[in-house]
Amino acid sequence: MNDTDLAVRASYAMHLMPPTIAHDDRVRVGCGARDGGVSLDDYDDWQKGNPRYDPVEVRSMWNSFKDGPVKVATLFHMAKEYGYQASSASDRPATPRPKQATTRPAEPPRKPTPSVNAEMVWGRCTPAKSHPYATAKGASAESMAGLRVLPMNDPLVIGGVSMDGALLVPAYAPDGTLQSAQLIPPKGKKMNLPGCPMSGASFTVGEIKPGEPVFLCEGVGAAWSIWQATGAAAVVCFGWGNVSKVAATMRQQDEAARLVICPDVGKEKQAAEIAAEHDCMVAAMPDGWPQNSDVNDLFQRDGFDVLQALLESATAPPKPEPLLKPVSVFDVVTNPAPPPAFVWDGYLPRGVVSLLGAHGGTGKSTLALMLSVCNALGMPLFGVDTVQCNSLFLSLEDGAAIVRHRLAGICKTWGIDPAALAGRLTIVDGTENPELFSADNKGAGDTTASYAELCKLVQATGAGLVVVDNASDSFGGDEINRRQVRAFMRSLAVVARLTDCAALLLAHVDKGTSRARKAEGGEGYSGSTAWHNSARSRLFMSRAENGMLTLEHQKSNLGKMREPLTLWWPDSGLPMLSEPGSDFAPQQGRADDTAAAALLRIIAEFESRGQYCSPAITSRNHVHAVLKVEPAFKVLKLHSDDTKRLVNQCQRAGWIEPMEYRTPDRKPHERWTLTPDGRLFAGLPAAPTAPTAPTTEDGASMNMAQGGAPTAPTCVGGVGAESTHKDGAELDSTEPLEVFHD
């Protein structure tokens, strides 16, 4: 059958059905019609027969039908109740209905369809003693109390269908007035009175008694079965969309009522949500029943005893976890929480997300793979201890061949038998499906199938370290959209909590940040500040003009920030720790030693004049800030990151150390001072000369009222401490800068 024939059949089937059918059925018809090739104009023409026709609503519904789960076969199945047969459609011309012009001529104003008066229709009816529908549902005569039957030859027509002999189920408003009615013809589908809304209306089979359960169901057939099986009241809600409204009203009327929802098969999840909202219980159908089956189907197949047992087994849905969870405070000393644990001492905490940023080509992927190997074998990296644990390396940028080549170089350089990594190091290639998180436009975004697979891998391997290489490939959103970035970082935090592992996300720094050298001052990331705020630990690796690498710890929420690591990378080898006097620091190491000696001499000279350099790299009088205008320092041609690296080298070698001193107002502060070994290395006399009154800020006095007395250095922390002051205002020259950790 070609598409044209299918569209003709679908249109014919649609027009056989009255447009006044229930809303849910109209939706199913629309989905099936669209799947069968019916046009919007054709669907709109069919809907015009509905007294509540609204062209805007029709088009909105039509647009929602795209790629819906209901197909054209459902439309044909529904149309069979109205006389549709496949052969009847084939008798129609195979020519599709002519498509109407896009711009329709102006139509005269429609006269509003007069609403049917529910009281008048009810008054024309007679009490119901029996009815074909009740017989089909197994209802007793007693259970039909309160219902009526429309007499034959009654003029009421709904959707082109005569309601002669229809069973009327009254729909009462919460205040007890007749709001609407549902009509069930001897043959045909249920119809609601046009113009009489059902919202919030209900009908009760039986009598509601204090202390006894009250069952809520969709249709009168289910209510009959419940009442006959238990003797308890059963409330007809006239459709699933009305159950929540009726439950809310009943709960408001009686806070102690024992409400039980009886959902059709396929609606158990929504029933649990409604029950949780309105403090109800749920009696769900047994497993194995087809979609939309209800308790009446169970009664007709298995009898009242089975149905009664099901209803008595109703349970309350589990209460949702609170969104804001209380934290115990009274036992923080007697039952202390475990301290933060790290897989790489001080740098990578477990159970949270850490960020490693670097400019492209700096070597962060190689370093992360080296760390993965070290964790797998329990080896220290750059002199810093690791915890032996299984490592998972997710490569989303580089294919398997590149990662294997890097791993081979690591094994050869370190003399590792790759067989020792089996079962301890897992590497996966995700370059074909790299996105772990995807977001369109300004939405919050969501995780992907690759993310779900990553979660399974983490649990299957029991990983203690998970490396995601890298952010630009795994994050399919806008890096400056704070909401999307935080959602992505939270999804990685979920991964970290699966096995209490350290999740390390590698990230590029954009060209603008790289050119401006912003990362050197603590901005080793690009995009929204949510990248920085969401990471519990953040590292940044940079390459100086002389080729040396600096791995800087720029943020630590779970411990003190570690000192920067100075690395050098030989032409044939791996990045390694560069320390003065080491056997592997050849030409570059000797150049650093020369620069370090010159730097020490300048620091000592400034110290002798009372111009102190603070150990805090973010203070206003850190080493580079104080010395940068000195001609002897300019000759060294050091950028700020080079200076930090050399200062770190001198501290590790024991050539300088922090020294506490006090300002005239007796406030304690720290400054760098040369050790005896440092003075010897720099070629200076063993005993320093007496200092003059200390100053700061490149030697300029900040407190002239005290005649050049020393001011407080801007930080009391160690390397990497961050300083700030209120609203960016200048501090009093005698007050130290306050130090805060995020």
Side-chain angles (χ1 to χ4, degrees):
M1 180 187 302
N2 58 41
D3 293 342
T4 300
D5 292 337
L6 180 61
V8 170
R9 286 185 56 199
S11 176
Y12 175 65
M14 178 180 68
H15 282 275
L16 283 176
M17 290 181 279
T20 53
I21 57 178
H23 174 79
D24 290 346
D25 288 337
R26 293 204 310 275
V27 171
R28 295 168 67 198
V29 169
C31 290
R34 180 158 187 166
D35 181 61
V38 173
S39 68
L40 168 59
D41 291 339
D42 200 2
Y43 178 75
D44 184 73
D45 287 340
W46 174 66
Q47 285 276 46
K48 286 179 180 178
N50 189 338
R52 302 178 65 182
Y53 168 77
D54 182 350
V56 176
E57 181 185 6
V58 169
R59 281 159 177 75
S60 177
M61 289 176 60
W62 181 262
N63 292 332
S64 70
F65 298 154
K66 186 177 181 181
D67 298 327
V70 178
K71 303 302 180 184
V72 68
T74 300
L75 171 66
F76 294 145
H77 178 75
M78 296 174 65
K80 287 180 180 178
E81 296 189 29
Y82 298 90
Y84 172 80
Q85 295 180 357
S87 59
S88 63
S90 62
D91 295 335
R92 290 168 56 92
T95 305
R97 298 166 66 111
K99 188 173 181 179
Q100 298 183 13
T102 303
T103 304
R104 297 185 176 187
E107 297 181 0
R110 294 177 178 270
K111 295 182 179 180
T113 302
S115 299
V116 177
N117 187 297
E119 293 285 356
M120 291 179 60
V121 174
W122 186 254
R124 300 201 301 266
C125 298
T126 59
K129 297 181 179 180
S130 64
H131 192 269
Y133 180 79
T135 302
K137 292 293 183 178
S140 64
E142 294 81 6
S143 63
M144 296 179 64
L147 306 184
R148 295 192 177 186
V149 176
L150 197 67
M152 301 300 292
N153 301 319
D154 190 274
L156 181 62
V157 175
I158 302 177
V161 178
S162 172
M163 293 292 106
D164 287 351
L167 179 68
L168 261 73
V169 183
Y172 294 106
D175 62 1
T177 59
L178 185 64
Q179 177 175 315
S180 185
Q182 187 175 77
L183 294 92
I184 309 175
K187 293 182 180 180
K189 294 180 69 69
K190 299 175 183 177
M191 296 286 189
N192 296 336
L193 282 178
C196 301
M198 281 288 192
S199 179
S202 64
F203 171 73
T204 303
V205 176
E207 180 183 355
I208 297 177
K209 299 178 181 179
E212 293 189 5
V214 179
F215 297 91
L216 280 66
C217 54
E218 290 191 55
V220 70
W224 286 332
S225 302
I226 293 170
W227 181 76
Q228 292 177 104
T230 65
V235 178
V236 182
C237 298
F238 301 106
W240 183 250
N242 214 25
V243 173
S244 181
K245 297 184 181 73
V246 174
T249 299
M250 299 190 70
R251 176 58 65 212
Q252 186 177 11
Q253 293 172 345
D254 184 359
E255 294 183 358
R258 296 173 57 193
L259 304 181
V260 182
I261 300 174
C262 302
D264 293 358
V265 174
K267 298 172 182 174
E268 294 83 1
K269 181 179 178 181
Q270 299 96 316
E273 294 173 351
I274 296 173
E277 182 179 0
H278 302 299
D279 191 21
C280 307
M281 294 190 293
V282 176
M285 288 281 289
D287 294 337
W289 282 84
Q291 198 82 351
N292 297 322
S293 300
D294 62 14
V295 292
N296 181 264
D297 298 310
L298 178 65
F299 148 68
Q300 294 201 55
R301 193 190 75 173
D302 298 338
F304 285 130
D305 292 342
V306 174
L307 175 56
Q308 182 179 10
L310 173 75
L311 298 175
E312 290 177 350
S313 66
T315 58
K319 293 185 177 180
E321 291 288 331
L323 299 179
L324 304 177
K325 300 180 180 179
V327 176
S328 173
V329 298
F330 70 92
D331 60 347
V332 293
V333 175
T334 58
N335 183 29
F342 296 81
V343 299
W344 191 28
D345 191 23
Y347 290 106
L348 294 186
R350 303 187 78 126
V352 294
V353 182
S354 299
L355 192 67
L356 170 58
H359 306 314
T362 306
K364 59 185 177 298
S365 297
T366 298
L367 186 145
L369 188 57
M370 293 166 61
L371 176 62
S372 301
V373 172
C374 288
N375 276 111
L377 301 178
M379 299 166 45
L381 178 64
F382 307 136
V384 180
D385 290 338
T386 66
V387 173
Q388 185 171 12
C389 59
N390 291 341
S391 300
L392 174 61
F393 191 96
L394 178 60
S395 182
L396 305 176
E397 183 179 38
D398 298 315
I402 295 177
V403 182
R404 282 170 50 83
H405 175 75
R406 289 174 181 155
L407 181 60
I410 293 172
C411 291
K412 291 177 182 178
T413 302
W414 286 351
I416 296 173
D417 182 358
L421 299 173
R424 299 179 179 179
L425 172 63
T426 302
I427 299 176
V428 290
D429 178 1
T431 53
E432 293 185 3
N433 299 283
E435 288 190 356
L436 304 179
F437 185 92
S438 179
D440 295 327
N441 300 324
K442 300 298 181 181
D446 202 356
T447 56
T448 65
S450 294
Y451 172 85
E453 194 168 318
L454 171 63
C455 292
K456 293 179 181 178
L457 276 171
V458 171
Q459 293 176 304
T461 59
L465 170 66
V466 176
V467 176
V468 178
D469 185 14
N470 57 51
S472 60
D473 293 280
S474 59
F475 176 61
D478 184 352
E479 70 170 13
I480 64 173
N481 185 311
R482 182 181 182 84
R483 185 184 182 197
Q484 294 176 5
V485 172
R486 289 188 67 85
F488 172 56
M489 294 293 279
R490 281 195 295 267
S491 71
L492 293 184
V494 172
V495 173
R497 291 193 292 269
L498 291 175
T499 56
D500 192 33
C501 64
L504 178 61
L505 175 66
L506 310 189
H508 293 302
V509 178
D510 62 22
K511 293 181 179 179
T513 302
S514 177
R515 284 195 298 268
R517 305 184 71 87
K518 293 179 182 178
E520 297 166 7
E523 198 172 318
Y525 62 93
S526 62
S528 169
T529 55
W531 294 104
H532 166 80
N533 296 334
S534 299
R536 300 295 86 191
S537 179
R538 187 166 58 77
L539 303 161
F540 179 73
M541 188 165 67
S542 59
R543 186 189 301 275
E545 293 183 0
N546 58 15
M548 299 298 287
L549 301 176
T550 298
L551 185 62
E552 185 180 352
H553 201 190
Q554 295 187 340
K555 177 184 177 181
S556 178
N557 283 101
L558 303 180
K560 184 179 179 181
M561 283 194 290
R562 296 293 303 262
E563 68 277 2
L565 296 176
T566 302
L567 312 174
W568 73 286
W569 195 339
D571 292 338
S572 57
L574 299 172
M576 58 184 65
L577 193 63
S578 175
E579 293 188 288
S582 61
D583 295 336
F584 54 77
Q587 182 176 354
Q588 184 57 54
R590 290 194 295 273
D592 279 352
D593 285 352
T594 301
L599 180 65
L600 290 173
R601 288 193 290 271
I602 300 172
I603 292 175
E605 179 187 349
F606 272 60
E607 184 183 17
S608 69
R609 300 201 302 264
Q611 295 176 263
Y612 298 151
C613 298
S614 170
I617 60 174
T618 55
S619 67
R620 289 178 295 180
N621 61 324
H622 62 77
V623 175
H624 193 84
V626 172
L627 305 183
K628 62 184 179 181
V629 298
E630 176 66 19
F633 182 80
K634 291 182 178 180
V635 172
L636 299 178
K637 297 181 179 180
L638 298 177
H639 291 290
S640 59
D641 59 335
D642 299 322
T643 304
K644 287 188 292 185
R645 177 171 51 79
L646 288 176
V647 169
N648 178 53
Q649 173 184 326
C650 292
Q651 183 187 21
R652 292 170 67 92
W655 296 334
I656 57 173
E657 61 185 3
M659 176 181 180
E660 187 175 287
Y661 72 100
R662 292 180 181 272
T663 58
D665 58 3
R666 307 302 298 166
K667 291 185 178 180
H669 301 287
E670 285 187 333
R671 69 175 193 247
W672 284 124
T673 188
L674 273 64
T675 65
D677 287 344
R679 300 187 69 82
L680 179 62
F681 175 77
L684 297 173
T689 58
T692 60
T695 61
T696 187
E697 292 287 10
D698 299 341
S701 173
M702 293 183 64
N703 193 343
M704 301 305 295
Q706 297 187 25
T711 61
T714 57
C715 183
V716 296
V719 174
E722 297 179 4
S723 62
T724 183
H725 54 88
K726 185 176 181 181
D727 296 330
E730 290 293 335
L731 297 178
D732 184 272
S733 59
T734 61
E735 294 294 327
L737 289 178
E738 294 179 327
V739 178
F740 299 91
H741 292 282
D742 181 13

